[in-house]
Every structure is written in C-alpha cells, then in structure tokens.
C-alpha cells in the first residue's frame, strides 16, 4: 500500500474492489480511521486503533526472514540493491504505515522513546522512504541527538531523489531544513546556511527558512562582537 493511498483513506472509504478480501478491507479501513484520528488531534485514540492492527500484520508475516514494505514501486525495485534485499519478504506497506502512525501519534503525546522504537521499525522495513526517515530524524532532533538526526535527514534527502514533482520538493525541503537545524546545533553555521539556501530555492517565500537565516546572521554578529 502506498503512503499517498493511505492518506487518501482519511477522505474516503476503500471499496471491496480495491481489496483482495474482507480482512484486507478491514485493515485498510482501520488505517484510514487512524489517519483521521491523528489529523483530528486524537493521538491516543489512534494508537488504541493501531495496536491490534500492528499485531495483525505481525501475524500475517511470520518467520525470521527480513521483511520490507511495498510502499512505492520505485522503492521496492531499489530494494534489490540493498544487503539481503533480493531475498527479503515483501509485505503490505500498510504495516509500515501503521508503525509510522503509532510513532507519529506518540510524538504528539511527547512519548519520544516509544515513538523512536516504532519509527525505527518503519525505517528498517522501508529504508528508502523519505517520509519515515524524516519523521525518525525529527524524533531524534526532539531528543537533541543532533548528529543522529542529521544522518537520518541526510538519508531522507538521498531517498527523495527517487521522487518527482511536488512530492520530491516537499521531501527535500523537510530533509534539508532538518539537516540545517541540526548543523546549527552542532555549531556548523556555514553548512547550515548552505542547506537553508537550498530550501529557499525550492520555496522562495518560506518565512521559516528566512527566520533561520536571520538567526545565523545574528549569531555571526555576536561572535564578531565578542
């Protein structure tokens, strides 16, 4: 299941023609409900819905074999180039969406340690998906683990090369902004500025980026004055 398709669940129910059987339809419906709950500011209710769904996915795909989510076709095709990717078991992308959804909801509840556990699982099973990589980068950023956050955002930026159009633009902006923020915290103002200016090339009217560039200028002025 593709992420974009999962987000569509928030707007419309999935008909039986799009599901292989009634059980798959039920899982898709629950994913849609969870997305709506998250969007509606009800993270705990979303978690309560996602917990049994995650257990159900685990039951569908048993065994010790490496598992990779089918999120996007171009990502799935690239799995063959990853260590063990050719022999991995391909599983429903809904499993990764459920893991990401729980992690996202736990961030909303300020349960960062728990959120990271589920986002790490999503990234392990969908290692080329920019959205999951950036979400995990954000979680580590919230814990002030700047270098670990930076590394994940950098992976997200690299993974976004497989995307196109507006989707790629959004993925790159988020990844570059996250990388730049981490660089500031690591004391690397020059590197941060380069990344923020790359963001402005994508979104010239981005006030949040402009504010960060102003902050960099102020920090440099303080250093010169001291």
């Amino acid at each position: 299941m593709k992420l974009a398709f999962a987000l569509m669940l928030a707007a419309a129910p999935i008909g039986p023609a799009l599901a292989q059987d009634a059980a798959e339809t039920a899982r898709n419906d629950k994913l849609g409900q969870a997305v709506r709950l998250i969007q509606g500011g009800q993270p705990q209710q979303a978690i309560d819905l996602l917990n049994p769904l995650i257990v159900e996915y685990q039951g569908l795909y048993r065994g010790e074999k490496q598992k990779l989510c089918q999120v996007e076709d171009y990502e799935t095709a690239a799995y063959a180039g990853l260590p063990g990717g050719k022999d991995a078991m391909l599983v429903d992308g809904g499993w990764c969406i459920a893991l990401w959804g729980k992690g996202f909801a736990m961030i909303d509840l300020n349960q960062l340690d728990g959120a990271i556990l589920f986002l790490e699982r999503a990234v392990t099973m969908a290692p080329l998906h920019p959205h999951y990589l950036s979400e995990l980068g954000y979680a580590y950023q919230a814990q002030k683990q700047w270098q670990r956050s930076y590394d994940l955002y950098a992976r997200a930026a690299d993974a976004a090369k497989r995307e196109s159009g507006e989707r790629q633009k959004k993925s790159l902006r988020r990844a570059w902004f996250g990388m730049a923020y981490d660089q500031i915290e690591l004391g690397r103002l020059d590197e941060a500025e380069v990344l923020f200016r790359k963001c402005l090339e994508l979104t010239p009217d981005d006030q949040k980026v402009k504010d960060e560039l102003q902050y960099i200028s102020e920090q440099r002025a303080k250093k010169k004055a001291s």
Side-chain angles (χ1 to χ4, degrees), residues 17-19 21 24 26 43 51 56 73 75 80 93-94 98 106 115 123 151 154-155 158 181 202:
L18 297 179
D21 52 37
E24 184 176 348
N51 281 337
E56 184 175 350
D73 292 340
E75 293 173 18
M106 293 183 81
V123 165
D151 292 342
R155 285 177 60 188
D158 185 65
Y181 189 96
L202 295 177

Side-chain angles (χ1 to χ4, degrees), residues 169 172-173 176 193-206 209-210 213:
K169 185 176 176 180
L172 286 173
R173 190 273 180 197
W176 288 341
E193 181 181 4
V194 170
L195 288 162
F196 281 132
R197 294 202 179 281
K198 288 175 70 172
C199 290
L200 278 185
E201 291 176 8
L202 295 177
T203 54
D205 298 323
D206 195 324
V209 174
K210 293 178 180 179
L213 286 168

Side-chain angles (χ1 to χ4, degrees), residues 107 112 133-143 149 153 174:
I107 289 176
L112 291 175
L133 288 162
S134 284
E135 199 66 52
L136 182 56
Y138 175 79
Y140 279 121
Q141 194 174 78
Q143 286 194 329
S149 171
Y153 277 124
R174 184 181 188 192

Side-chain angles (χ1 to χ4, degrees), residues 12-174:
I14 297 177
L18 297 179
Q20 293 180 359
D21 52 37
E24 184 176 348
T25 301
R27 289 192 294 273
N28 291 342
D29 287 344
K30 289 175 184 176
L31 282 173
Q33 292 173 40
V35 170
R36 287 191 289 274
L37 287 167
I38 291 171
Q39 291 177 330
Q42 301 181 70
Q44 186 57 58
Q45 291 88 333
I47 289 172
D48 293 341
L49 189 61
L50 289 168
N51 281 337
L53 189 57
I54 291 170
V55 171
E56 184 175 350
Y57 279 118
Q58 290 172 174
L60 287 173
Y61 303 102
R62 298 181 181 277
E64 299 300 319
K65 195 172 184 179
Q66 181 185 8
K67 300 172 183 64
L68 295 172
C69 284
Q70 299 183 84
V71 183
E72 300 289 351
D73 292 340
Y74 48 82
E75 293 173 18
T76 303
Y79 286 159
L82 299 179
K86 291 182 178 179
D87 300 320
M89 178 190 299
L90 295 178
V91 303
D92 187 347
W95 190 354
C96 279
I97 293 169
L99 293 169
W100 159 79
K102 182 168 181 178
F104 188 98
M106 293 183 81
I107 289 176
D108 279 354
L109 294 170
N110 200 31
Q111 299 173 5
L112 291 175
D113 289 343
I116 284 172
L117 290 176
F118 286 92
L119 292 171
E120 286 278 13
R121 288 175 64 186
V123 165
T124 297
M125 295 174 66
L128 303 177
H129 194 64
H131 190 77
Y132 301 156
L133 288 162
S134 284
E135 199 66 52
L136 182 56
Y138 175 79
Y140 279 121
Q141 194 174 78
Q143 286 194 329
K144 299 184 179 181
Q145 297 193 49
W146 311 121
Q147 188 61 55
R148 183 171 288 186
S149 171
Y150 176 89
D151 292 342
L152 283 157
Y153 277 124
R155 285 177 60 188
D158 185 65
K161 295 175 183 177
R162 297 181 180 85
E163 298 180 326
S164 61
E166 192 65 24
R167 182 168 183 175
Q168 183 187 60
K169 185 176 176 180
K170 290 180 179 179
S171 293
L172 286 173
R173 190 273 180 197
R174 184 181 188 192

